[in-house]
Amino acid sequence: MDNVLSFHQGRLPLLISMPHAGLGLTAAVRDGLVEQARSLPDTDWHMPRLYDFARELGASVVAAEYSRFVIDLNRPEDDQPLYAGATTGLFPATLFDGEPLFVAGLAPSAAQRAEYLEQIWRPYHDTLRGELARLREEFGYALLWDAHSIRSYIPHLFDGKLPDFNFGTFNGASCDAALAEQLQRTCAQASGYSHVLNGRFKGGHITRHYGAPAEHVHAVQLELAQCTYMNEVEPFAYREDLAQPTQAVLRQLLEVMLAWGQARYAR
């Protein structure tokens, strides 16, 4: 499988990960999807466009090219569940609304899924691991921002409407508490937006696995409500009028993260 990810190496100690931005499908997945899944409704839509300022900022960026319907890059390879209650696994079998993802009998085979693990999941994580190691070697520390988005209403997964900015630090285990506090303070000062820390989304495998403050790697997941930058119904159109002010907040959050790291690890 070619082009399983895109990667840009930046000049600052910040890596932005986009594991659910991909739209690519293998033939087996494409041919087996139920009709309502063919529009890829559970995608983290438009992430590269929303974060198009990241390269100018100086961040490294890695983004998936294959859909989470093929394999979920934010789940552990042993497929152990990360959340109690309704969730999706390494190889999703249901849509976010709980309906089956594949026509009965048409899900990819075990052999095909093993191939997806080796040829899609593993290269993404090798890239994450390698870039974080490079940043820590060069700067003495590394900052990881795991960028996600989701529809603001999904009754099968959570009650009511999500806050706009949902930060996850695995209940404080993946990053320094002072960094999390500064991110929350920045959001509180952003007019018209709501936020929460370690609410419904506490961080997936990437945040939990790579975030290691004692080893000077600080990871934060942001699950952004899609209503802040796009239409949440098909054809899932990007909304520049919504996205521009949201991008301003995102940029400020990343600048705060970088400034915190620089102050914390000043030599």
Side-chain angles (χ1 to χ4, degrees):
M1 296 177 185
D2 296 326
N3 302 319
V4 299
L5 58 86
S6 64
F7 175 64
H8 166 78
Q9 188 174 95
R11 64 182 187 275
L12 297 177
L14 171 63
L15 173 60
I16 300 174
S17 164
M18 303 178 184
H20 294 155
L23 300 175
L25 298 173
T26 64
V29 171
R30 182 185 63 244
D31 294 345
L33 291 176
V34 298
E35 184 61 34
Q36 60 266 40
R38 294 187 178 278
S39 63
L40 309 183
D42 299 342
T43 300
D44 291 9
W45 290 100
H46 311 296
M47 285 286 97
R49 182 174 179 181
L50 188 65
Y51 284 86
D52 64 4
F53 58 87
R55 294 191 182 193
E56 175 193 344
L57 192 65
S60 297
V61 182
V62 58
E65 294 292 337
Y66 276 87
S67 169
R68 68 187 302 163
F69 288 171
V70 177
I71 187 169
D72 192 329
L73 303 177
N74 201 28
R75 297 295 182 270
E77 61 180 308
D78 63 5
D79 204 16
Q80 289 297 305
L82 298 177
Y83 292 100
T87 186
T88 56
L90 180 66
F91 300 105
T94 62
L95 292 159
F96 283 170
D97 63 8
E99 295 300 313
L101 181 60
F102 294 103
V103 175
L106 293 184
S109 67
Q112 288 167 327
R113 286 176 165 172
E115 182 180 11
Y116 303 161
L117 181 66
E118 289 301 317
Q119 298 191 18
I120 301 174
W121 189 96
R122 207 165 302 287
Y124 193 89
H125 285 270
D126 287 346
T127 302
L128 282 178
R129 189 178 303 105
E131 181 62 2
L132 289 172
R134 183 190 74 83
L135 294 176
R136 194 171 62 166
E137 175 67 21
E138 180 174 348
F139 298 97
Y141 67 101
L143 306 171
L144 174 60
W145 183 271
D146 205 38
H148 296 261
S149 73
I150 193 169
R151 297 193 303 277
S152 57
Y153 286 98
I154 304 181
H156 183 67
L157 296 183
F158 49 81
D159 296 329
K161 183 178 185 291
L162 273 181
D164 298 318
F165 288 79
N166 299 266
F167 296 103
T169 65
F170 194 26
N171 292 326
S174 71
C175 85
D176 191 283
L179 172 57
E181 176 58 32
Q182 288 194 24
L183 294 174
Q184 288 190 91
R185 189 180 308 123
T186 301
C187 258
Q189 294 169 352
S191 178
Y193 294 98
S194 57
H195 72 278
V196 68
L197 175 65
N198 294 315
R200 174 60 180 83
F201 298 98
K202 302 179 188 300
H205 174 67
I206 289 171
T207 304
R208 301 180 191 200
H209 183 72
Y210 295 102
E215 299 173 19
H216 314 302
V217 179
H218 301 268
V220 175
Q221 176 178 296
L222 175 62
E223 193 79 58
L224 183 67
Q226 291 177 343
C227 62
T228 63
Y229 71 95
M230 60 173 279
N231 291 334
E232 296 188 341
V233 296
E234 291 186 46
F236 308 115
Y238 190 84
R239 290 274 303 277
E240 195 68 48
D241 59 319
L242 298 175
Q244 281 191 2
T246 301
Q247 281 183 308
V249 179
L250 290 172
R251 181 167 189 142
Q252 187 176 13
L253 288 167
L254 294 177
E255 288 172 344
V256 164
M257 192 177 199
L258 285 164
W260 175 87
Q262 187 176 35
R264 170 68 174 78
Y265 293 97
R267 296 177 178 177

